[in-house]
Amino acid sequence: MALLRKINHILLMMLVLIVCLLLHSKLFRGPSRVNLKLTETRKDPEHAPKIPMEKVAEGEDDIPVVICAAEERMGGAMATINSIYSNTDASVFFYIVTLRDSIKLTRQYIEKTKLKGIKYKILEFNPMVLKGKVKPDSSRPDLLHPLNFVRFYLPLLDISHKRVIYLDDDVIVQGDIKDLYHTNLEKGHAAAFATDCDLPSTHEMVRSVGMQTTYMGFLDYRKQEVRDLGINPSDCSFNPGVFVADIGEWKKQKITKQLEKWMQENLKENIYSSAMAGGVATPPMLIVFHDKYTIIDPLWHVRHLGWSPDARYSETFLQGAHLLHWNGRFKPWDYPCVHLDLWEKWFIPDPTGKFLLKAGDLTVESQNWLTIG
């Protein structure tokens, strides 16, 4: 009997120990990484800590738009989204890509402003995917931001649509986004871009500020690897800040692998750099898509608004443009900048107060001194 009591006592102690271990694992286990690695979707900001995430399903009839939202440029991304949402009656689904530290700010910016009615999903981009592929360059550090390379990895994002529009965060959409989405991609083409030689109205602007419109301005033709490509240096380049992508064709042609190959080649041979015209994200796109892309309507990518602090387009021309792009150093949330009024009308102040305009106290009228000729 004494032996039996001793055995029962041991079994009881083991049972208590097991229960304690189970309770400890439930109470003190770390947070799940699944939500962080995949997505955060719309939820009530008032009760976010208390209720599960509301799932927003992507519909087949939605117009899917991919846009990056860096914390230091958050107001730009939200102005882009606002302009798209306000100028169409189509159902638009926004895939908003950001880094882990900016997920909360992105959600607050949407849910605490007029944008709370949009359909969206926040996607986290892991910058480790770029390890060993990007060379540090101090001439334009902003061009090395991890989100600048999201466009290379579209098929790896948690996207359910077969075709998407990719937009930089320094654009304003004045037309109906569904017209851009329905661009007819030619057979075998994974994307559609606007060529840099497509719009006569922009030629004077290009000449006035010395911009590059050919491959010569983006690739180092002194390097044998570049010459071996067989690309004529006078061929027209394109800007990859606005494009329509066929995800299936992108996967089929292994576009991401091709882009990564040229990123790694640049690490070894320095065939391009951020000191050249297109920074470090444009040249790989130019190489991989050379003679293999559909050309979009040029009015759907009127660019170069950020190349000069004082060279301007005519107001009549800009009113007829479907999309405006402030590519270049002079951003509309910065100062100085031209055609600020066309961006300012879509800007939504950050409800958290983190994103501030450097020229936020300037009115549109006070910018008139910038006008030339």
Side-chain angles (χ1 to χ4, degrees), residues 330-365:
F330 302 98
K331 302 302 183 186
W333 54 84
D334 216 329
Y335 181 80
C337 173
V338 296
H339 303 297
L340 181 61
D341 55 315
L342 297 177
W343 181 86
E344 208 171 39
K345 66 190 290 188
W346 304 111
F347 172 67
I348 300 173
D350 180 1
T352 71
K354 290 184 179 179
F355 181 88
L356 298 173
L357 297 179
K358 289 189 179 179
D361 58 338
L362 294 175
T363 63
V364 172
E365 289 75 22

Side-chain angles (χ1 to χ4, degrees), residues 105 108-113 348-355:
L105 174 61
Q108 288 177 331
Y109 214 131
I110 294 170
E111 294 293 349
K112 294 184 178 181
T113 66
I348 300 173
D350 180 1
T352 71
K354 290 184 179 179
F355 181 88

Side-chain angles (χ1 to χ4, degrees), residues 140 143-144 148-149 151-152 168 196 211-219 237-241 272-286 307 327-328:
R140 286 292 302 278
L143 298 178
L144 297 176
N148 205 30
F149 299 92
R151 71 197 84 198
F152 290 9
D168 277 351
D196 285 332
M211 286 181 291
Q212 298 293 333
T213 59
T214 66
Y215 275 68
M216 176 64 81
F218 296 87
L219 302 177
S237 52
F238 61 82
N239 184 295
Y272 58 83
S273 75
S274 63
M276 301 184 78
V280 292
T282 298
M285 300 280 279
L286 291 177
W307 270 87
N327 59 307

Side-chain angles (χ1 to χ4, degrees), residues 138-303:
S138 60
S139 59
R140 286 292 302 278
D142 56 311
L143 298 178
L144 297 176
H145 194 288
L147 294 180
N148 205 30
F149 299 92
V150 165
R151 71 197 84 198
F152 290 9
Y153 296 96
L154 294 180
L156 304 185
L157 301 177
D158 184 23
I159 293 176
S160 64
H161 291 89
K162 298 177 181 178
R163 171 188 284 216
V164 300
I165 296 171
Y166 174 89
L167 297 179
D168 277 351
D169 60 7
D170 52 358
V171 311
I172 288 297
V173 175
Q174 300 185 139
D176 191 329
I177 196 70
K178 69 173 179 284
D179 295 336
L180 177 61
Y181 181 71
H182 291 304
T183 297
N184 184 27
L185 269 67
E186 297 177 22
K187 185 176 181 180
H189 287 177
F193 304 92
T195 171
D196 285 332
C197 303
D198 58 10
L199 202 58
S201 301
T202 67
H203 292 174
E204 184 177 349
M205 167 75 83
V206 169
R207 287 192 297 269
S208 70
V209 297
M211 286 181 291
Q212 298 293 333
T213 59
T214 66
Y215 275 68
M216 176 64 81
F218 296 87
L219 302 177
D220 188 349
Y221 275 84
R222 296 171 299 179
K223 302 295 174 65
Q224 187 62 44
E225 290 77 9
V226 174
R227 296 197 296 271
D228 288 346
L229 289 168
I231 299 175
N232 190 324
S234 63
D235 281 359
C236 288
S237 52
F238 61 82
N239 184 295
V242 174
F243 63 91
V244 181
D246 182 318
I247 301 298
E249 194 65 34
W250 192 293
K251 291 180 180 178
K252 179 181 176 182
Q253 297 184 28
K254 297 180 171 60
I255 297 295
T256 297
K257 287 293 184 185
Q258 293 186 58
L259 292 168
E260 288 186 326
K261 170 194 170 183
W262 288 105
M263 293 167 74
Q264 292 166 337
E265 192 68 27
N266 186 57
L267 278 177
K268 295 185 294 182
E269 301 294 338
N270 198 31
I271 60 177
Y272 58 83
S273 75
S274 63
M276 301 184 78
V280 292
T282 298
M285 300 280 279
L286 291 177
I287 294 172
V288 172
F289 284 102
H290 180 254
D291 279 347
K292 296 177 183 176
Y293 67 92
T294 299
I295 298 175
I296 65 175
D297 180 346
L299 289 177
W300 268 106
H301 196 177
V302 174
R303 48 211 177 275

